[in-house]
Amino acid sequence: MKNKEEQTGLVGLAIGAAVIGLVSAQKSINRQSIIEELMRLGRQKGDGLEDEVFVKAAELVAKGI
């Protein structure tokens, strides 16, 4: 990441994308479902590795921050 502000913005966008994905799939929105959706989105790149931004976002949601 280039800087802390950019990373913070990307984490916020990742959490928003997870919530939008849950809403569009008509799934329950709670901490666990957001974490699961973040991990799913992180793996979507096709190489099986989780994207750093999505992992960081999942960690923050898990901590309740």
Side-chain angles (χ1 to χ4, degrees):
M1 295 290 150
K2 290 184 179 181
N3 61 43
K4 185 77 171 168
E5 287 180 17
E6 180 181 330
Q7 183 178 10
T8 301
L10 291 174
V11 167
L13 289 173
I15 293 169
V19 171
I20 290 170
L22 291 169
V23 169
S24 68
Q26 297 181 349
K27 294 184 178 178
S28 174
I29 298 174
N30 56 51
R31 181 179 289 171
Q32 188 59 40
S33 66
I34 293 171
I35 292 168
E36 290 169 3
E37 182 69 3
L38 285 167
M39 300 308 281
R40 187 188 71 76
L41 290 170
R43 289 189 297 268
Q44 262 187 340
K45 290 196 172 238
D47 58 9
L49 298 175
E50 295 163 350
D51 186 77
E52 175 186 354
V53 172
F54 289 99
V55 171
K56 183 68 174 171
E59 289 172 357
L60 290 173
V61 172
K63 289 180 184 178
I65 296 175

